[in-house]
Amino acid sequence: MAHLIFIGLTYTSLVALYALTRYLKNPRIGPTPRACKQLGRSPDDRWNQWIIYLSTFPRRSVRHLLSRQGGLVEGLYVHPIKSCKAVQVQQAQVLREGLKYDRQFSFAEFQDKSVSSGAPGWKFVTQRKYERLANIRIEIWVPDPDSPHYSSEEANVQSDGVLVVRYPDPRQTAGNLEGSKVFEIPYNPTVTQIKQRGYSMEKMKIWKDSPDALLIASTMQRDAPIWLTDVQAYIKSSFPLALFRIAARHERQVFRNAPGKEELGYQSVVGFADAYPLHMLGLASVADLDRRLSTVVPEFSTTSALRFRANIYFSGPTAYAEDRWKRIKIGPQVFHVACRTTRCELPNVDQYTGKRHRSEPSKTMKSYRNIDEGAGPGSACLGMQMVPAAELGVIKAGDPIDVLNTGTHYYLK
């Protein structure tokens, strides 16, 4: 026990020292949004990938020995703009559409036959098409009551904070975020702010849905902002580009494997998430995939779990134990585990470099994780999709996970 505690304390000290040296070397550039403080951090280097990967090792063994629970939440992540870089948080509010701040915004292209009516319109885009979206870094700034500028009349307070978005200058060839360009947008603009800024409601197609969404800006506008034309050039889109925010009362309803309204007590919805409110993934499962990958593709000697863009990463159970979970409790919050996560080609994008591998890890996953008959042949599954059993709870990194029910899963398309 003593040696495990020593290893844990030593590891924690090294992480803290490294974080301090990173900050001193690369302090935050740019002014602080008025009356706000930053929430979370961006996992913008290899070290943060190693932190989540190494969490299956002795640092957490101490906590497992001191706890009778079978698993622990190791990392919580939100993705404010769909397919852009994640933000790691220490705790998160659980809403009916998922974790607060997760996938509330999305870039979209104007294409022919993109809206359900068959008319030309806006269609969402992701790293499936534009892998460079991974290099667009998001900062969440929330109202700070301790700020000398804090006031109920302050614009940033009224909009529940702002997003600071950093993107590489498309005129530079390096493509890194050092000296990146920056823009800010209100997180949840008020009716007055929507009118002042000229935002409008338009349909945006995402998979089979075409919800009315708040159009923040588009390159088709006469006074299109420079930041949007820059992003268009950086990701190399040849179509008009726009940024949308999901609008209140226009969230997309979730059916298929999700519990019904009668069971939940409310209708499950999502913002711009693909299909379900939350995604969780076991680190032991990623470690097993990594072991298989390293035998055939040496460059994948350490596979970052962040490639899979989950909200909740956990340690403790053996690889793929989550495949049979049906209801779980994380801290005080109960979740329905609706179905397995079917994997597309997006995990082939390195979330640190924004570069796409020609076939991995998708090829290896398809070789042994085609385990759900409902998903169909050739559909690899890794991770689980979840629906909150109740609204407005809070979960934290380090929370224990209790498995309440297990059973079989059959994916419904």
Side-chain angles (χ1 to χ4, degrees):
M1 174 68 75
H3 75 280
L4 287 176
I5 293 176
F6 174 77
I7 292 173
L9 291 174
T10 301
Y11 182 90
T12 303
S13 298
L14 289 173
V15 170
L17 179 61
Y18 181 85
L20 176 62
T21 57
R22 284 286 297 176
Y23 175 78
L24 292 175
K25 181 180 179 181
N26 295 301
R28 184 183 181 276
I29 300 173
T32 297
R34 188 178 173 87
C36 290
K37 62 182 178 181
Q38 189 171 1
L39 177 70
R41 66 179 184 183
S42 176
D44 58 356
D45 57 44
R46 298 282 187 186
W47 182 259
N48 280 314
Q49 295 184 14
W50 270 98
I51 287 175
I52 197 167
Y53 181 81
L54 290 175
S55 60
T56 54
F57 288 96
R59 180 174 66 97
R60 289 298 191 193
S61 297
V62 177
R63 295 176 66 179
H64 282 295
L65 287 173
L66 298 177
S67 173
R68 291 178 294 179
Q69 309 300 333
L72 290 170
V73 174
E74 295 288 350
L76 293 172
Y77 290 79
V78 293
H79 312 78
I81 301 182
K82 186 176 181 67
S83 254
C84 295
K85 198 172 290 294
V87 177
Q88 184 181 12
V89 295
Q90 291 303 305
Q91 65 179 38
Q93 186 176 359
V94 180
L95 306 175
R96 62 176 184 165
E97 63 266 31
L99 299 185
K100 185 176 181 179
Y101 304 111
D102 191 52
R103 295 171 170 95
Q104 295 295 290
F105 295 78
S106 177
F107 286 106
E109 290 181 326
F110 194 86
Q111 298 179 0
D112 291 339
K113 299 180 180 179
S114 69
V115 180
S116 55
S117 64
W122 296 104
K123 181 179 180 181
F124 82 115
V125 295
T126 70
Q127 292 179 32
R128 296 173 181 89
K129 183 176 182 180
Y130 298 118
E131 60 269 24
R132 283 187 165 192
L133 286 169
N135 288 333
I136 297 178
R137 187 172 67 193
I138 315 300
E139 296 175 3
I140 303 171
W141 289 80
V142 299
D144 180 11
D146 294 329
S147 168
H149 303 294
Y150 184 87
S151 165
S152 61
E153 302 300 316
E154 175 63 44
N156 290 344
V157 174
Q158 293 179 345
S159 64
D160 198 18
V162 299
L163 297 185
V164 175
V165 185
R166 299 176 180 276
Y167 62 96
D169 189 334
R171 288 164 285 278
Q172 295 180 355
T173 58
N176 58 41
L177 287 171
E178 301 298 335
S180 59
K181 305 190 74 175
V182 182
F183 66 92
E184 293 184 13
I185 49 176
Y187 173 69
N188 191 14
T190 65
V191 172
T192 299
Q193 290 171 341
I194 289 172
K195 292 180 179 179
Q196 290 175 341
R197 292 171 176 263
Y199 298 164
S200 61
M201 294 288 287
E202 293 200 25
K203 289 190 178 297
M204 191 200 86
K205 185 170 180 61
I206 174 168
W207 300 118
K208 296 180 180 180
D209 300 320
S210 297
D212 289 322
L214 191 63
L215 177 64
I216 303 299
S218 87
T219 57
M220 295 176 70
Q221 296 169 333
R222 181 177 301 177
D223 55 346
I226 294 176
W227 59 261
L228 189 58
T229 57
D230 277 351
V231 170
Q232 180 188 31
Y234 176 69
I235 67 174
K236 298 183 178 180
S237 169
S238 58
F239 296 93
L241 191 72
L243 180 65
F244 282 86
R245 192 201 194 282
I246 195 70
R249 299 182 297 280
H250 291 277
E251 297 90 351
R252 299 148 54 221
Q253 295 187 347
V254 179
F255 299 101
R256 297 194 294 170
N257 290 99
K261 184 177 181 179
E262 298 76 15
E263 181 178 358
L264 287 174
Y266 70 93
Q267 174 59 53
S268 179
V269 295
V270 293
F272 289 137
D274 280 347
Y276 294 89
L278 292 104
H279 176 210
M280 74 180 308
L281 180 58
L283 293 175
S285 303
V286 178
D288 182 71
L289 169 61
D290 181 61
R291 178 183 60 81
R292 297 168 186 269
L293 272 169
S294 62
T295 63
V296 294
V297 188
E299 62 197 85
F300 278 86
S301 57
T302 53
T303 305
S304 171
L306 300 182
R307 283 178 177 263
F308 301 96
R309 299 183 64 79
N311 298 116
I312 303 169
Y313 295 94
F314 64 92
S315 66
T318 57
Y320 315 116
E322 62 269 27
D323 282 342
R324 290 184 53 80
W325 293 356
K326 298 291 285 186
R327 279 178 79 244
I328 64 172
K329 187 177 182 182
I330 300 177
Q333 183 77 41
V334 175
F335 297 89
H336 293 272
V337 185
C339 62
R340 299 184 177 99
T341 304
T342 58
R343 309 306 325 197
C344 62
E345 304 291 315
L346 195 150
N348 292 358
V349 178
D350 187 321
Q351 298 301 301
Y352 169 63
T353 64
K355 295 181 179 179
R356 187 192 311 275
H357 190 276
R358 63 185 180 280
S359 60
E360 296 291 1
S362 293
K363 181 179 179 181
T364 295
M365 284 194 293
K366 289 178 180 179
S367 72
Y368 78 103
R369 288 295 295 173
N370 184 15
I371 61 170
D372 194 313
E373 292 184 5
S379 295
C381 297
L382 189 68
M384 306 301 290
Q385 299 288 321
M386 303 198 304
V387 176
E391 300 181 58
L392 303 179
V394 173
I395 58 175
K396 301 176 181 179
D399 272 349
I401 300 175
D402 290 324
V403 180
L404 304 179
N405 299 103
T406 60
T408 58
H409 285 280
Y410 185 89
Y411 187 84
L412 297 177
K413 295 184 178 180

